[in-house]
Amino acid sequence: MSEDAPSPVRQMRLVVAVDDFDQAVGFYRDVGGMTEQAAFNGEGDARVAILLAGEATLEISNRAQVSLIDRVETDGGVSDPLRVAFEVDDADAMTRRLEQGGAAVEASPRETPWRSLNSRLRAPDGLQLTLFQELETLEERRRREGFENGAVDEVLGRERELQTPEARRDPGRVRDMLSADFVEIGASGRRWGRDEILELLASQADGVDPIDVEDLQGRMIAPGLVLAEWISTRGARRARRTSLWRREDGAWRLLHHQGTPLPAADAGADVGTRD
């Protein structure tokens, strides 16, 4: 699902069964500072309180990631199958506050490789908690090696931009989008480097047919490498294209491009950056 598409899930709610209701409500609401949204009493002394805890997300990690988190976040601790994490403004202060409110600290706050300040605690009801304080923005994180969320969308946006007349008429913009060791294999089998492509684009007339991008898709094939696949239409010519983008110094640049004319297309069709 794209970030713009509405989610069919309207809310994520974690349901915790406790033996000491008043203690748990006091810990999360009064000590933790969560706002009570609603509370109900039922038959047989049944009681429930619903507390607002900010934005809800679902983090899914494989076993290797869980082991990595345990090594980074704790001093030899082991994660429960379900661990609840709360983002806070000040991990040090909130860790002390929850400890004073009855939580046991399993690991004091420490900075992680992904630039957050994390601590781990055990709530009075037995629930394992992580507190984390983000030390950089999501946009900053996306530019860091190994954090690829949003990378495919960013690459596809750059792929589309590279095919626009505005970008292709701007040698500086094209140069910035191509890796220094960029290679393109033309339909004829000719090999083109970055400087040759820049010279060719500079010599092209402004009146050439625009390039239509269809069925653009991408996937991460390795850390820092995204493969984009699409179909181009330019006049009567159509071609299937692949582009390999590499992250370099925080920016995505095109490393390799190749296009193959589709059977119904003109056999002389050229490929992505120079067509």
Side-chain angles (χ1 to χ4, degrees), residues 61-163:
S61 301
N62 64 11
R63 298 297 181 185
Q65 174 67 15
V66 172
S67 296
L68 172 61
I69 291 172
D70 285 343
R71 292 196 302 272
V72 168
E73 189 175 286
T74 76
D75 303 309
V78 178
S79 290
D80 289 356
L82 177 64
R83 176 169 47 86
V84 182
F86 295 112
E87 181 181 356
V88 297
D89 292 330
D90 188 330
D92 283 309
M94 184 57 79
T95 298
R96 292 193 299 269
R97 178 173 171 174
L98 294 188
E99 183 180 20
Q100 292 169 0
V105 177
E106 296 185 347
S108 58
R110 73 277 316 275
E111 185 173 333
T112 69
W114 42 89
R115 296 285 293 139
S116 63
L117 191 64
N118 290 24
S119 66
R120 188 174 294 186
L121 306 97
R122 182 74 59 175
D125 53 51
L127 199 62
Q128 191 176 50
L129 308 177
T130 286
L131 301 181
F132 66 99
Q133 174 188 344
E134 299 290 18
L135 302 179
E136 63 184 12
T137 65
L138 182 58
E139 186 59 33
E140 290 171 327
R141 178 168 293 175
R142 283 176 172 170
R143 294 195 293 267
R144 289 166 55 82
E145 194 69 30
F147 293 89
E148 309 299 354
N149 54 325
V152 172
D153 288 343
E154 182 179 352
V155 165
L156 296 186
R158 291 175 73 82
E159 184 75 57
R160 285 188 182 277
E161 180 184 358
L162 188 55
Q163 312 312 318

Side-chain angles (χ1 to χ4, degrees), residues 245-266:
W245 291 78
R246 179 173 65 191
R247 189 196 295 275
E248 301 175 359
D249 300 324
W252 288 98
R253 294 189 173 87
L254 184 56
L255 177 65
H256 186 276
H257 182 87
Q258 186 162 0
T260 302
L262 291 172
D266 180 354

Side-chain angles (χ1 to χ4, degrees), residues 6-250:
S7 171
V9 179
R10 297 179 59 87
Q11 179 185 153
M12 185 177 75
R13 178 173 294 172
L14 180 67
V15 181
V16 181
V18 299
D19 294 322
D20 191 329
F21 179 81
D22 291 326
Q23 180 193 50
V25 171
F27 178 77
Y28 292 107
R29 183 191 62 193
D30 303 330
V31 179
M34 300 180 195
T35 302
E36 185 176 293
Q37 182 188 56
F40 305 97
N41 295 328
E43 295 180 3
D45 196 35
R47 302 171 67 190
V48 61
I50 299 172
L51 308 181
L52 296 176
E55 184 179 53
T57 57
L58 181 63
E59 177 177 319
I60 301 174
S61 301
N62 64 11
R63 298 297 181 185
Q65 174 67 15
V66 172
S67 296
L68 172 61
I69 291 172
D70 285 343
R71 292 196 302 272
V72 168
E73 189 175 286
T74 76
D75 303 309
V78 178
S79 290
D80 289 356
L82 177 64
R83 176 169 47 86
V84 182
F86 295 112
E87 181 181 356
V88 297
D89 292 330
D90 188 330
D92 283 309
M94 184 57 79
T95 298
R96 292 193 299 269
R97 178 173 171 174
L98 294 188
E99 183 180 20
Q100 292 169 0
V105 177
E106 296 185 347
S108 58
R110 73 277 316 275
E111 185 173 333
T112 69
W114 42 89
R115 296 285 293 139
S116 63
L117 191 64
N118 290 24
S119 66
R120 188 174 294 186
L121 306 97
R122 182 74 59 175
D125 53 51
L127 199 62
Q128 191 176 50
L129 308 177
T130 286
L131 301 181
F132 66 99
Q133 174 188 344
E134 299 290 18
L135 302 179
E136 63 184 12
T137 65
L138 182 58
E139 186 59 33
E140 290 171 327
R141 178 168 293 175
R142 283 176 172 170
R143 294 195 293 267
R144 289 166 55 82
E145 194 69 30
F147 293 89
E148 309 299 354
N149 54 325
V152 172
D153 288 343
E154 182 179 352
V155 165
L156 296 186
R158 291 175 73 82
E159 184 75 57
R160 285 188 182 277
E161 180 184 358
L162 188 55
Q163 312 312 318
T164 64
E166 294 78 12
R168 298 163 80 86
R169 285 195 293 262
D170 185 345
R173 180 59 179 149
V174 175
R175 176 179 289 275
D176 182 63
M177 298 177 75
L178 301 183
S179 178
D181 53 347
F182 166 79
V183 171
E184 178 166 333
I185 307 300
S188 64
R190 177 175 174 178
R191 178 187 176 98
W192 300 73
R194 184 175 70 172
D195 291 342
E196 294 170 301
I197 289 295
L198 291 171
E199 291 177 7
L200 184 66
L201 290 177
S203 68
Q204 288 183 334
D206 291 339
V208 296
D209 293 332
I211 299 174
D212 292 328
V213 177
E214 305 171 11
D215 299 329
L216 179 60
Q217 303 176 51
R219 57 191 173 93
M220 184 77 62
I221 60 173
L225 290 174
V226 170
L227 180 67
E229 301 175 83
W230 52 288
I231 293 174
S232 69
T233 300
R234 189 172 194 177
R237 297 176 296 177
R238 302 182 77 240
R240 187 175 301 278
R241 307 182 182 279
T242 57
S243 297
L244 182 62
W245 291 78
R246 179 173 65 191
R247 189 196 295 275
E248 301 175 359
D249 300 324

